[in-house]
Amino acid sequence: MSPDTPALRHIALDPVMARIIAETPAPKIFNEYADDLYLALLESIVSQQISVKAANAIFGRFRALFPDNYPEANALLLKTTEELRSAGLSFQKIKYLQSVATFSLEKSIDRAHVDPMTDEDIVQYLLPIKGVGRWTVEMLLMFVLDRPDIFPIDDLVIRQRMMRAYPEQTNGLTGKPLYKVLLQLAEPWRPYRTTASRYLWRWQPT
């Protein structure tokens, strides 16, 4: 595919990314919960460390516990552990979901409140929720809030793909030295690092 947007034209100034873009189908962008950050947070917690198929099944059963399939915060906090366990949720994830509900009652998670914040402000705003780490918020920034310049360096697939794409720069590196080089390699992609990351996820190295 040839670059035909400002983001693709900019990223393609990096010859390695130009090759990846050329041989990779355009990534699909899912914004199923674009207007509901609260529900997106609940879904992201349910999805942690399990397959997409399992996550969809559990989240569907979880939502079915509530009127109109919507887990209002007060209603969620009134559910017993046994009721929530019946959806297939672990004890730990139940605590995390309850933490999201409590947070939403104490502070706003509405788009109108969050949208004016910077990317890093949103990360720091949501990190106090149990079960929500930087990676989780970065996924929300990329796929729910559609922020254009997110580089999720903590994502294992992103690191693996970049090491495949830039073997000379990354060979033998681990830990902080690897992170430093990856950040440097991604720097020229600003302000479109989200688009570059989406292509790296979909790229299938040969």
Side-chain angles (χ1 to χ4, degrees):
M1 133 174 219
S2 59
D4 56 3
T5 68
L8 290 179
R9 287 193 293 270
H10 180 80
I11 296 165
L13 293 173
D14 175 343
V16 173
M17 285 305 301
R19 175 175 59 83
I20 289 173
I21 291 168
E23 61 190 37
T24 303
K28 297 177 182 178
I29 300 173
F30 300 100
N31 286 306
E32 185 177 355
Y33 305 112
D35 296 322
D36 196 332
L37 187 56
Y38 166 72
L39 193 60
L41 274 167
L42 295 177
E43 192 276 336
S44 68
I45 285 172
V46 170
S47 299
Q48 289 173 1
Q49 299 179 329
I50 59 176
S51 70
V52 172
K53 183 178 180 180
N56 289 340
I58 293 171
F59 196 56
R61 291 196 297 268
F62 165 69
R63 293 184 65 174
L65 297 173
F66 302 91
D68 300 320
N69 283 325
Y70 194 87
E72 295 282 357
N74 283 313
L76 171 51
L77 292 172
L78 288 173
K79 291 292 182 184
T80 66
T81 299
E82 289 73 20
E83 287 177 300
L84 295 171
R85 284 280 290 163
S86 71
L89 294 162
S90 67
F91 289 110
Q92 186 178 55
K93 286 188 178 180
I94 288 171
K95 291 180 180 178
Y96 293 165
L97 295 174
Q98 291 168 336
S99 181
V100 173
T102 299
F103 185 91
S104 73
L105 293 173
E106 296 173 350
K107 297 183 179 183
S108 176
I109 314 184
D110 291 341
R111 287 291 302 262
H113 182 77
V114 173
D115 281 346
M117 297 182 182
T118 67
D119 299 337
E120 186 59 27
D121 284 344
I122 294 173
V123 171
Q124 296 304 321
Y125 184 66
L126 297 178
L127 278 181
I129 301 173
K130 292 178 182 177
V132 174
R134 174 173 286 273
W135 180 87
T136 299
V137 183
E138 287 173 343
M139 295 303 104
L140 294 171
L141 288 168
M142 295 179 74
F143 294 105
V144 179
L145 302 179
D146 202 24
R147 294 296 177 101
D149 195 35
I150 305 301
F151 178 54
I153 194 171
D154 290 326
D155 187 89
L156 178 60
V157 174
I158 290 290
R159 295 199 305 275
Q160 290 175 336
R161 297 284 162 79
M162 288 190 71
M163 291 172 73
R164 289 290 299 274
Y166 301 90
E168 293 182 2
Q169 295 93 326
T170 61
N171 185 41
L173 296 180
T174 58
K176 290 183 178 179
L178 175 62
Y179 271 55
K180 181 179 179 180
V181 168
L182 296 183
L183 287 168
Q184 291 171 345
L185 290 168
E187 190 63 25
W189 306 339
R190 288 181 184 271
Y192 303 113
R193 290 181 298 173
T194 294
T195 299
S197 297
R198 286 171 172 160
Y199 269 91
L200 286 166
W201 270 317
R202 193 157 196 201
W203 177 49
Q204 295 295 325
T206 55

